[in-house]
Amino acid sequence: MTKRKNHIFLAVIISILVIIALFTIISNSLPYNQVDTVCYLNDQWNVTYNGDKYYNLTFEEIQEIPTTKYIKGDIVTLSTTLPQIDNFDFPSICFASNYCALNITLTNLTDGTEHNIYSYETDNFENNQFIGCNYQIINLPSDYTNYEITITIFCNTTSDVLPIELPIFSSYHNLIISFVNSHFYAICSGIASVIFGISFLFISLMFIGLSKTSKVQILSGLLCIDIGIWILNYYNITNLFFDSHNHHMTLVSYIAMFLIVPLAYMIIDEIHHAKNKLIFTFVSFLNVFIPIELLAFHFLKHIYLNETRVIYFLTAFVTFIFLTIYLISDIKNIYKDKRIKSASNRLQLYGIFAIGCSGIIEILLRTIKFIPSDLAESLRNFILPSGVMIYVITIILNYLIYSTEGLARAQQYEKLTELAYADSLTKLPNRAVSDYLSNKFATLNSNYCIVSIDINGLKEVNDTYGHVEGDKLITDFAKCLSKYFEDIGTCARIGGDEFIIYIEEIDVNVLKKRLDLMTLNFKSLDTRNSFGYTHSFAYGYAFKNSLENSTPHTVYMTADQLMYDMKRKQHGQKK
């Protein structure tokens, strides 16, 4: 059994890796038809920083201008001549901006006139308001080759690097296609996480209270939605669909990111037994309270979210440490602790762990400087979306495993129920069911009927032809009984050759007709019998209203007495 569970778990891990590998291969192999030339504006920048001027710098060299950091309130001006390349429709320039206001002007190189073509969040900068992140796409005039572009950056937060990324110059449509192509994996993983989370949440809400794991499933659905929204905003994907001057999407991104830790703690608490509940409760409270407090500070305008990221990352790291400790403990005690023995519970933890790992790697890629920028960018576009996809896949597999385990439990319960309440030979309800119906009929006001039936000659068949033939006689009678009375009442076997029928309401003439037809049908089996014994039975019936102060017991006793009267008559006729 242990080896089998190990094989199943190994198969699940391999399945996750194969699915992610296929997804990555497909996303990277999709045809990308570049419509126009793409030009990265990396060279010949003239820079003004705090009154000092710098000439002919590369974009990487601009990052090294401040001796320490770009300070909140700094103003940096970048200017360069737009490249002399073939004309194309809808020329545009794009770049990502991070917590800064912008003003972009074009200077005509022929007559020296300036045109202000774009302004972003300058009012918020002047009023010391929050400014978010954005993916800027600025349209340029068709005769762009005769202009110098100047980008004025108003730093709204202290940063180690310039708050804009390398500008790219091309046609508008080509920039959109290029962005979608480079972020295709993130787009697919984010949308898949949101859609799956919504679907899974609604399904879980439908079965709330019916399943022991409904709370975990609801929390998992919410976490999927939350992570998907965060991924779509983190990679500036939502800026393609919403107003580029709206910084609220950055706020949505932070709220989604800050909710990851509380949701993760709630899921962990549901599926993992904490040995020291007091410590876990205290740490989880702090890590849930801190993100909420940071959000409150932002809305009260005491300190903005981008300035408190380090505090949140510390809480997330503590969560990751706790999760790592749990996983190590689980691996050691995987077959001892009943709560972690379930493969579905372990999958939940592994999925959250994958998100934690991808988040830590993302932070390292942003802070480590010696990794080539192209490689770091490629890894950043892959690691986080892969963590999200792993979590979504673990939720799906968790649901499938739990459903399989649930189905197995249901089948086992059905078998146990059958053993408890069904006759093993005839599959009809047994005496336990008969006793239950007797108690139930005691509460009825209708003129119910109880029929007592006894197979004739069963003992002689058993003694003469063996119990196999006797069992065949019983099962043949049970089929016949079900054929004529299963649709109007409950038939039960209460002894070796004794049967009973409970009928809530029936006309006596209909009852007699059915009994006569059943008698003929059972008698017809004589022709198929090679041993020569006859197929017959005796019966008696009684109605509630035919007796004074009747109870199901007195009604049955009356029917049983009538059955024995009929049996004596049949025995006398046989003699």
Side-chain angles (χ1 to χ4, degrees):
M1 188 66 178
T2 301
K3 289 183 178 180
R4 182 174 177 271
K5 287 186 176 181
N6 287 335
H7 292 159
I8 292 174
F9 178 69
L10 182 61
V12 168
I13 297 299
I14 293 174
S15 300
I16 292 175
L17 296 176
V18 169
I19 291 172
I20 290 180
L22 289 175
F23 199 95
T24 305
I25 292 171
I26 292 172
S27 63
N28 290 327
S29 61
L30 288 175
Y32 165 48
N33 297 321
Q34 185 171 299
V35 179
D36 297 300
T37 303
V38 174
C39 181
Y40 292 88
L41 303 181
N42 190 44
D43 302 315
Q44 298 181 348
W45 285 99
N46 299 323
V47 182
T48 301
Y49 175 65
N50 289 341
D52 297 326
K53 296 183 181 295
Y54 305 87
Y55 299 97
N56 294 324
L57 299 181
T58 65
F59 204 78
E60 287 80 4
E61 291 171 340
I62 298 174
Q63 311 289 347
E64 302 172 1
I65 288 177
T67 55
T68 55
K69 298 180 179 181
Y70 286 97
I71 307 300
K72 182 177 181 178
D74 284 352
I75 299 176
V76 185
T77 301
L78 313 178
S79 61
T80 189
T81 302
L82 292 172
Q84 305 291 320
I85 56 177
D86 295 336
N87 290 333
F88 38 71
D89 296 331
F90 308 108
S92 301
I93 186 173
C94 74
F95 53 86
S97 65
N98 302 305
Y99 317 109
C100 64
L102 299 168
N103 192 66
I104 299 179
T105 60
L106 288 178
T107 302
N108 191 311
L109 297 178
T110 303
D111 55 20
T113 57
E114 290 187 358
H115 305 278
N116 191 350
I117 63 169
Y118 187 75
S119 182
Y120 174 73
E121 299 280 23
T122 53
D123 291 340
N124 282 341
F125 176 78
E126 293 172 0
N127 297 323
N128 196 29
Q129 299 294 311
F130 176 70
I131 300 175
C133 302
N134 213 328
Y135 190 74
Q136 312 286 352
I137 301 181
I138 301 101
N139 295 323
L140 301 174
S142 56
D143 56 341
Y144 58 87
T145 55
N146 196 38
Y147 285 94
E148 179 185 72
I149 187 169
T150 300
I151 304 173
T152 303
I153 305 167
F154 304 89
C155 301
N156 200 44
T157 187
T158 300
S159 173
D160 292 326
V161 295
L162 191 68
I164 71 167
E165 296 180 9
L166 177 64
I168 305 174
F169 177 63
S170 187
S171 68
Y172 178 83
H173 297 96
N174 204 53
L175 290 174
I176 295 294
I177 294 171
S178 177
F179 177 85
V180 171
N181 182 72
S182 60
H183 295 86
F184 184 78
Y185 190 22
I187 293 172
C188 290
S189 62
I191 293 175
S193 183
V194 171
I195 293 176
F196 171 76
I198 293 173
S199 304
F200 194 69
L201 177 62
F202 275 106
I203 293 172
S204 301
L205 289 173
M206 290 172 59
F207 294 97
I208 189 170
L210 301 177
S211 171
K212 294 180 181 179
T213 62
S214 58
K215 184 177 179 180
V216 176
Q217 291 170 355
I218 290 171
L219 291 172
S220 299
L222 289 173
L223 185 55
C224 277
I225 297 171
D226 185 65
I227 292 174
I229 292 173
W230 174 58
I231 284 291
L232 293 175
N233 283 279
Y234 182 76
Y235 288 97
N236 294 316
I237 296 165
T238 50
N239 293 134
L240 298 178
F241 308 101
F242 296 94
D243 183 9
S244 62
H245 284 72
N246 193 339
H247 65 264
H248 293 141
M249 298 316 298
T250 301
L251 183 59
V252 170
S253 175
Y254 270 103
I255 293 174
M257 183 178 72
F258 280 21
L259 286 176
I260 293 174
V261 169
L263 288 171
Y265 265 104
M266 286 188 280
I267 293 173
I268 294 170
D269 187 46
E270 286 294 319
I271 64 177
H272 196 288
H273 177 66
K275 292 182 179 179
N276 195 322
K277 193 70 175 179
L278 182 62
I279 294 177
F280 178 83
T281 302
F282 176 73
V283 174
S284 60
F285 173 78
L286 284 180
N287 285 276
V288 170
F289 174 75
I290 288 174
I292 295 174
E293 186 180 27
L294 297 179
L295 288 172
F297 283 153
H298 175 87
F299 287 111
L300 293 173
K301 299 181 180 179
H302 294 319
I303 185 170
Y304 292 121
L305 291 172
N306 60 298
E307 297 170 333
T308 59
R309 285 178 298 174
V310 175
I311 300 174
Y312 171 77
F313 289 150
L314 287 175
T315 64
F317 184 72
V318 171
T319 304
F320 181 76
I321 294 297
F322 256 82
L323 187 58
T324 304
I325 293 172
Y326 279 162
L327 288 176
I328 294 172
S329 173
D330 288 353
I331 293 172
K332 290 181 178 178
N333 303 290
I334 198 166
Y335 297 109
K336 297 178 182 179
D337 190 335
K338 293 181 179 179
R339 289 193 65 179
I340 62 173
K341 210 168 188 178
S342 169
S344 62
N345 280 354
R346 297 201 306 276
L347 275 176
Q348 286 273 50
L349 292 178
Y350 298 149
I352 297 174
F353 183 75
I355 294 174
C357 288
S358 63
I360 289 177
I361 295 173
E362 172 69 13
I363 294 173
L364 292 175
L365 289 173
R366 281 190 169 275
T367 54
I368 295 175
K369 303 298 183 182
F370 60 82
I371 299 178
S373 57
D374 291 343
L375 176 60
E377 185 69 19
S378 298
L379 290 174
R380 288 182 57 231
N381 288 333
F382 174 78
I383 297 297
L384 269 181
S386 294
V388 174
M389 289 303 299
I390 289 174
Y391 181 68
V392 171
I393 293 169
T394 57
I395 295 299
I396 296 172
L397 292 174
N398 166 64
Y399 182 75
L400 292 176
I401 291 174
Y402 178 79
S403 299
T404 303
E405 292 177 347
L407 179 61
R409 285 193 296 267
Q411 290 175 341
Q412 185 179 18
Y413 178 78
E414 185 178 349
K415 290 180 180 179
L416 291 174
T417 302
E418 183 178 320
L419 290 173
Y421 298 108
D423 177 61
S424 59
L425 179 62
T426 63
K427 306 305 179 185
L428 291 175
N430 58 14
R431 180 176 285 277
V433 178
S434 175
D435 294 341
Y436 166 77
L437 290 173
S438 180
N439 294 329
K440 177 184 175 183
F441 272 47
T443 64
L444 298 180
N445 295 321
S446 60
N447 185 26
Y448 60 80
C449 174
I450 296 179
V451 184
S452 177
I453 305 178
D454 194 280
I455 302 174
N456 293 328
L458 177 62
K459 185 177 183 305
E460 289 79 3
V461 172
N462 280 332
D463 293 343
T464 307
Y465 307 110
H467 284 277
V468 173
E469 190 64 26
D471 289 347
K472 184 176 183 302
L473 176 62
I474 294 171
T475 54
D476 287 343
F477 175 76
K479 292 176 183 177
C480 190
L481 181 64
S482 298
K483 178 179 178 181
Y484 287 96
F485 286 97
E486 192 175 44
D487 60 327
I488 60 171
T490 302
C491 310
R493 183 188 180 197
I494 58 175
D497 55 3
E498 301 173 41
F499 293 81
I500 190 171
I501 309 173
Y502 290 89
I503 307 173
E504 289 193 14
E505 195 167 355
I506 190 173
D507 181 77
V508 64
N509 294 321
V510 175
L511 176 62
K512 287 180 179 179
K513 184 176 180 180
R514 288 193 177 229
L515 287 168
D516 291 340
L517 289 172
M518 188 177 77
T519 301
L520 293 174
N521 185 269
F522 191 53
K523 178 67 176 175
S524 67
L525 297 179
D526 289 351
T527 57
R528 306 176 191 176
N529 174 27
S530 60
F531 293 104
Y533 59 84
T534 59
H535 293 72
S536 65
F537 60 90
Y539 62 84
Y541 57 84
F543 288 84
K544 173 191 173 185
N545 293 345
S546 63
L547 304 174
E548 294 184 3
N549 300 322
S550 60
T551 64
H553 177 69
T554 58
V555 173
Y556 169 69
M557 293 304 295
T558 302
D560 200 50
Q561 184 59 49
L562 292 172
M563 181 272 293
Y564 277 110
D565 291 344
M566 183 178 186
K567 186 177 281 287
R568 280 192 290 270
K569 289 179 182 178
Q570 291 172 336
H571 188 65
Q573 290 174 358
K574 187 175 180 181
K575 286 184 175 180

